[in-house]
């Protein structure tokens, strides 16, 4: 009993320290670096122990939690898989609205982060001094977790994009690996003409992919300053992408196979789909879910418009501390361990692609010959990609909603094989209307 | 010379064809499910959807379904049975009692209740899920079985059905006779009228069972811990883990799990259809 009481007291002290840190930071948040504090309160909380709840669907989460508890037996982490991506966000959103029921720590993808940061649902980790970690992460992922000068998570995985291609299919049809998008479209036509059952890739309309492609093309369709939002899905970058991708959509050069379905995995294995332009986390999926493609697939840099190396991020998650947390310092300690401490290793071992520069540059990681890819050192391509990510991208502060209506708008273009520009225009109209209804001041163009 | 009678009506080729096509349309997904539940994950990826392929793995799949992720499927099955037993069972009892009362007794405010019930029939449960969530959250009931059971107890449609059915199926004279014999109202209900109501009650029980068994949106919103999930939400979680970074597709288990999930409903329909059919025609003919 008395032990519990001393613990409670220690909690109190830590909570007070945290409060003070918040108080200090809010007073001086005008600086460009945002809130900064020290990690002492985090260390103290870790020492004091306690109980936190963690929501995540990452396959490595279970092992990571077990390893954490082994290292810190006085901390109990209740691991809950509350659903994959948007299911989890719906629950988070509801819990935040209701004022209770949210976990202490949650996995949030980069695209969804601004939405939770803007609604003041996440703790600013700057109060614990985590701004000091900036140099430890790739620039593109760090830019994703910073929002309005606050730090709303530590990056876990990243998804710099690359070109995955089926070497066997390419060789058989005498197609060279495309370096530019022009060559890519030419390869698509050549392949489909030579063998009508084969396609260069599949795309049935995925908002994450479309935005990544606009990102690579240099587009900045979304700008947000607080609650003032500007949407321009017809900017130069967006148009550059549609001019490219329309050739495949309108020319019916895309396999009509839904991503992540059993058909899709089958098509990746039997050569129906010859390439994938996707995030660096894909090799793990190839190994575990496309056994039939072993030895056939290879990795090359993402094609570009002018041959100069540039890429974008696709996917990727961070772990954030919720404002509802009763013990934010302990929650922050857990996040620090996950993405800046011993938690990174089990994550990489499970096939994840890290965001930490130390791992991205360690020879053991970079020069690993991967048997699935015929012994190719794929991480050399992928780590280079993480350095070539185009800068300055931002998501919409209601991106999860935006993604949910992508199918109704842009999806129609995919379905009917018509111009993507009309689809993007319809998407933009829907997003402007919704944003204004939600209390944002949204302007188009 | 064609004889047309009530028991041998004229055949319509068009109607037969249309119905046959419809039957096919209804059965194909089921056939697909049964066929693919017999395949391994690898065979799913390498064989055509409507033919058998690879080793026959149905029993292996069933075994895996029950053991995968520490046997959580069994827990989900138990949860579903709990939600259906208490929720749909309770809904049936409440709808029966209320519908009977509304049909057979005159009391002030009856018209208002009628309007409210009819209005409630028109509101889909999905529309109420989020407001219900916020209310339950204030009560501290979210992420507990009660969050699923309490909303399931309300079945305006069931109430309405029993109401209409009781009006037709129970003659006032019967109740009058019982009253003259000295029976109290409760006794009349349990020993005389309830028996007349059985087809209606079974119909309502089937409806509430099916809707609770298939309920997806409410538990999706209310529950955050997989240990309280019903089968619908749980299977979707298995299905969702096939996408994105670190995907672990278990399509074979999702398919086998889905097959196992519909079996109890099929059994319930087969066992109860006798009552159900006789209930549907009540009141259609003046006897």
């Amino acid at each position: 009993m008395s032990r519990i009481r001393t613990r409670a007291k220690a909690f109190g002290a830590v909570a007070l320290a945290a409060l003070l840190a918040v108080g200090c930071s809010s007073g001086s948040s005008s600086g460009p670096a945002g809130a900064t504090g020290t990690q002492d309160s985090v260390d103290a909380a870790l020492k004091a122990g306690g109980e936190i709840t963690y929501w995540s669907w990452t396959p490595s989460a279970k092992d990571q939690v077990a390893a954490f508890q082994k290292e810190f037996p006085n901390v109990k982490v209740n691991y809950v898989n509350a659903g994959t991506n948007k299911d989890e966000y719906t629950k988070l959103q509801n819990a935040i609205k209701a004022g209770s029921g949210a976990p202490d720590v949650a996995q949030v993808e980069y695209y969804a982060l601004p939405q939770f940061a803007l609604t003041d649902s996440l703790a600013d980790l700057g109060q614990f001094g985590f701004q000091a970690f900036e140099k430890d992460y790739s620039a593109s992922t760090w830019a994703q977790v910073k929002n309005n000068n606050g730090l709303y998570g530590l990056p876990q995985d990243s998804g710099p994009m690359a070109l995955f291609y089926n070497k066997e299919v390419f060789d058989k049809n005498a197609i060279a690996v495309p370096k530019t998008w022009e060559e890519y479209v030419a390869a698509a036509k050549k392949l489909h003409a030579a063998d009508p059952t084969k396609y260069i890739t599949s795309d049935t309309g995925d908002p994450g992919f479309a935005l990544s492609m606009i990102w690579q093309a240099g587009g900045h369709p979304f700008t947000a300053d607080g609650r003032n939002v500007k949407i321009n899905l017809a900017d130069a970058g967006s148009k550059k992408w549609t001019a490219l991708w329309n050739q495949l959509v309108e020319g019916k050069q895309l396999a009509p196979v839904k991503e992540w379905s059993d058909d899709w995995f089958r098509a990746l294995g039997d050569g129906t789909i010859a390439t994938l332009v996707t995030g660096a986390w894909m090799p793990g999926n190839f190994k575990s879910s496309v056994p039939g493609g072993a030895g056939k697939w290879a990795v090359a840099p993402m094609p570009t418009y002018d041959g100069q190396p540039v890429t974008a991020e696709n996917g990727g998650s961070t772990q954030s501390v919720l404002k509802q947390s009763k013990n934010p310092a302990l929650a922050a300690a857990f996040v620090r361990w996950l993405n800046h401490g011993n938690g990174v290793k089990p994550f990489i071992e499970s096939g994840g692609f890290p965001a930490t520069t130390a791992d991205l540059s360690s020879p053991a990681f970079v020069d690993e010959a991967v048997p699935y890819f015929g012994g190719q050192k794929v991480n050399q391509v992928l780590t280079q990609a993480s350095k070539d990510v185009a800068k300055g991208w931002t998501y919409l502060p209601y991106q999860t909603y935006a993604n949910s209506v992508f199918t109704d708008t842009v999806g129609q273009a995919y379905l009917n094989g018509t111009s993507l520009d009309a689809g993007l225009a319809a998407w933009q109209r829907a997003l402007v209307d919704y944003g204004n209804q939600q209390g944002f001041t949204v302007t188009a163009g | 010379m064609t004889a047309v009678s009530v028991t041998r009506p004229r055949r319509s080729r068009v109607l037969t064809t249309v119905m046959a096509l419809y039957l096919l349309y209804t059965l194909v997904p089921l056939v697909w499910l049964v066929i693919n539940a017999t395949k391994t994950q690898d065979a799913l990826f390498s064989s055509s959807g409507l033919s058998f392929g690879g080793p026959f793995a149905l029993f292996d799949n069933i075994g895996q379904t029950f053991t995968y992720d520490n046997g959580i499927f069994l827990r989900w099955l138990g949860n579903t049975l709990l939600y259906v037993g208490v929720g749909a069972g309770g809904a049936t009892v409440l709808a029966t009692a209320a519908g009977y009362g509304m049909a057979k007794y005159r009391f002030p405010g009856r018209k208002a209740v009628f309007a409210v019930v009819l209005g409630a029939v028109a509101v889909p449960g999905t529309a109420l899920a989020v407001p219900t969530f916020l209310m339950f959250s204030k009560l501290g009931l979210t992420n507990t079985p009660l969050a699923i059971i309490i909303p399931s107890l309300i079945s305006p449609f069931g109430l309405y059905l029993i109401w209409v059915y009781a009006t037709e199926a129970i003659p006032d004279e019967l109740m009058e006779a019982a009253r003259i014999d000295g029976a109290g109202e409760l006794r009349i209900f349990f020993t005389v009228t309830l028996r007349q109501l059985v087809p209606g009650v079974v119909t309502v029980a089937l409806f509430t069972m099916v809707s609770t068994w298939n309920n997806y949106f409410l538990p999706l919103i209310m529950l955050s811990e997989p240990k309280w999930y019903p089968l619908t939400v749980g299977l979707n979680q298995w299905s969702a883990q096939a996408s994105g970074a670190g995907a672990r597709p278990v399509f074979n288990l999702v398919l086998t799990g889905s097959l196992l999930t519909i079996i109890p409903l099929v059994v319930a329909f087969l066992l109860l259809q006798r009552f159900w059919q006789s209930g549907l025609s009540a009141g259609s003919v003046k006897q």
Side-chain angles (χ1 to χ4, degrees):
Chain A
M1 194 69 194
S2 66
R3 233 181 99 203
I4 294 172
R5 232 177 244 151
T6 26
R7 245 189 218 181
K9 245 184 211 164
F11 268 133
V14 172
L16 190 68
L19 268 175
L20 285 174
V22 177
C24 294
S25 67
S26 63
S28 63
S29 64
S30 53
T36 50
T38 65
Q39 292 180 44
D40 297 349
S41 55
V42 177
D43 296 329
L46 204 51
K47 218 170 194 179
E51 194 172 335
I52 52 171
T53 303
Y54 171 39
W55 285 7
S56 171
W57 68 90
T58 304
S60 55
K62 222 176 195 171
D63 292 341
Q64 286 174 307
V65 167
F68 179 80
Q69 295 199 124
K70 211 171 159 200
E71 204 174 322
F72 302 100
N74 56 339
V75 182
K76 181 162 178 0
V77 180
N78 302 309
Y79 165 61
V80 175
N81 180 346
T84 303
N85 51 54
K86 59 182 189 295
D87 286 347
E88 191 203 90
Y89 305 144
T90 309
K91 275 177 196 151
L92 269 182
Q93 204 81 320
N94 286 336
I96 288 161
K97 210 187 273 176
S100 69
D104 299 270
V105 177
Q107 175 186 356
V108 181
E109 283 159 291
Y110 297 127
Y111 81 84
L113 194 70
Q115 169 168 339
F116 292 106
L118 190 81
T119 49
D120 208 19
S121 319
L122 305 178
D124 180 357
L125 297 180
Q127 66 184 286
F128 302 116
F130 287 8
Q131 294 273 10
F133 298 151
E134 175 165 5
K135 59 179 188 327
D136 302 324
Y137 294 95
S138 64
S140 57
T141 55
W142 191 258
Q144 297 294 310
V145 293
K146 257 174 62 177
N147 195 286
N148 291 333
N149 294 326
L151 180 66
Y152 294 107
L154 289 181
Q156 178 164 69
D157 69 327
S158 66
M161 292 171 91
L163 175 73
F164 296 81
Y165 65 99
N166 191 319
K167 211 165 172 294
E168 198 183 71
V169 173
F170 268 49
D171 290 347
K172 204 171 157 193
N173 294 283
I175 295 169
V177 181
K179 291 196 173 56
T180 65
W181 285 120
E182 210 177 315
E183 290 170 19
Y184 186 82
V185 172
K189 290 178 179 158
K190 188 175 174 190
L191 175 66
H192 193 57
D195 185 348
T197 65
K198 303 238 181 315
Y199 294 87
I200 194 75
T201 192
S202 81
D203 181 15
T204 55
D206 168 17
F209 175 74
L211 290 179
S212 293
M213 291 296 285
I214 292 174
W215 181 344
Q216 191 223 13
H220 297 283
F222 310 128
T223 35
D225 176 20
R227 298 193 78 80
N228 292 313
V229 178
K230 238 193 202 149
I231 303 178
N232 183 5
L233 280 161
D235 71 352
S238 307
K239 279 194 166 147
K240 209 170 176 181
W241 173 63
T242 53
L244 161 78
W245 215 246
N246 273 337
Q247 300 176 57
L248 300 181
V249 173
E250 295 180 312
K252 307 250 191 281
Q253 297 288 335
L254 297 167
V257 179
K258 180 115 187 65
E259 293 81 6
W260 306 108
S261 63
D262 56 336
D263 272 348
W264 187 73
F265 284 110
R266 182 188 308 166
L268 289 178
D270 67 14
T272 305
I273 295 175
T275 77
L276 270 189
V277 181
T278 191
W281 36 261
M282 194 63 204
N285 291 336
F286 267 116
K287 268 174 260 178
S288 64
S289 309
V290 193
K296 297 177 190 165
W297 285 79
V299 187
M302 185 179 183
T304 61
Y305 293 87
D306 56 5
Q308 292 302 310
V310 62
T311 180
E313 291 269 351
N314 182 254
S317 299
T318 171
Q319 269 76 14
S320 298
V321 175
L322 275 290
K323 271 241 166 101
Q324 268 183 29
S325 171
K326 299 222 165 41
N327 196 346
L330 185 62
F334 178 62
V335 170
R336 184 179 65 177
W337 180 91
L338 269 183
N339 296 339
H340 196 263
N342 295 337
V344 180
K345 210 173 154 228
F347 173 75
I348 296 175
E349 276 165 4
S350 79
F353 192 80
T356 36
T357 46
D359 296 293
L360 288 172
S361 59
S362 97
F365 181 73
V366 177
D367 298 327
E368 188 197 350
V370 184
Y372 184 93
F373 294 95
Q376 189 191 354
K377 294 172 178 170
V378 294
N379 286 338
Q380 290 183 346
V381 180
L382 301 174
T383 50
Q384 181 56 44
S386 74
K387 293 174 193 150
D388 294 336
V389 176
K391 289 189 172 48
W393 176 265
T394 42
Y395 286 107
L396 208 55
Y398 43 94
Q399 194 69 51
T400 55
Y401 171 81
N403 288 2
S404 73
V405 295
F406 185 86
T407 314
D408 307 333
T409 51
V410 193
Q412 297 305 308
Y414 283 99
L415 200 63
N416 306 322
T418 54
S419 165
L420 289 166
D421 299 272
L424 285 180
W427 197 26
Q428 173 163 325
R429 277 195 300 277
L431 297 184
V432 171
D433 288 349
Y434 177 83
N436 282 320
Q437 281 161 20
Q438 296 295 309
F440 293 92
T441 310
V442 189
T443 46
Chain B
M1 216 185 82
T2 50
V4 177
S5 72
V6 173
T7 46
R8 295 197 51 173
R10 197 170 26 220
R11 290 215 184 117
S12 157
R13 264 163 214 258
V14 179
L15 204 59
T16 310
T17 317
V18 169
M19 292 314 284
L21 282 176
Y22 185 72
L23 187 73
L24 203 67
Y25 174 75
T26 327
L27 285 181
V28 163
L30 201 65
V31 172
W32 182 88
L33 183 64
V34 172
I35 290 177
N36 287 283
T38 67
K39 296 181 187 171
T40 60
Q41 172 92 343
D42 286 350
L44 267 179
F45 291 166
S46 57
S47 63
S48 155
L50 280 174
S51 66
F52 290 93
F56 184 82
L58 178 63
F59 297 111
D60 187 42
N61 280 343
I62 292 176
Q64 273 192 56
T65 304
F66 280 110
T67 51
Y68 184 73
D69 210 355
N70 298 326
I72 190 122
F73 185 84
L74 207 59
R75 166 107 199 188
W76 292 337
L77 182 66
N79 290 342
T80 305
L81 289 174
L82 173 77
Y83 301 152
V84 167
V86 183
T92 310
V93 171
L94 287 176
T96 306
Y100 168 75
M102 301 288 295
K104 287 295 156 191
Y105 297 98
R106 301 286 172 273
F107 54 89
R110 197 168 157 272
K111 284 244 167 73
V113 175
F114 183 74
V116 169
V117 171
L118 268 191
V121 169
V123 180
T126 312
L128 294 174
V130 172
T132 315
F133 171 85
L134 292 176
M135 195 168 80
F136 275 45
S137 180
K138 289 270 183 298
L139 295 168
L141 289 177
T142 47
N143 208 19
T144 66
L146 283 177
I148 308 305
I149 291 172
I150 293 175
S152 303
L153 287 175
I154 316 299
S155 172
F157 182 67
L159 195 162
Y160 181 71
L161 216 70
I162 293 283
W163 182 345
V164 172
Y165 189 75
T167 310
E168 294 295 327
I170 301 169
D172 288 341
E173 292 81 0
L174 191 70
M175 295 172 69
E176 271 164 34
R179 274 187 203 122
I180 290 165
D181 287 345
E185 296 304 321
L186 270 181
R187 188 162 169 208
I188 294 176
F189 177 65
F190 283 112
T191 58
V192 181
T193 52
L194 191 56
R195 273 159 220 218
Q196 317 278 320
L197 283 177
V198 163
V201 173
V202 170
T203 310
V204 171
L206 268 177
F207 272 127
T208 51
M209 260 175 67
V210 171
S211 67
T212 314
W213 191 275
N214 292 336
N215 200 351
Y216 172 74
F217 197 61
L218 183 78
L220 177 74
I221 286 195
M222 286 288 184
L223 306 171
S224 54
E225 290 201 49
K227 65 177 181 187
W228 292 120
Y229 283 175
L231 288 165
T232 46
V233 179
L235 283 172
N236 184 59
Q237 183 167 48
W238 278 5
S239 173
Q241 73 182 36
S243 70
R248 292 165 304 161
V250 282
F251 291 119
N252 57 333
L253 302 189
V254 175
L255 290 173
T256 311
S258 304
L259 184 65
L260 293 173
T261 300
I262 57 172
I263 288 174
L265 275 188
V266 172
V267 170
F269 262 87
L270 289 179
L271 288 179
L272 295 174
Q273 66 167 343
R274 204 155 48 92
F275 301 98
W276 193 42
Q277 281 168 346
S278 65
L280 278 181
S281 58
S284 56
V285 178
K286 186 142 178 86
Q287 281 155 339

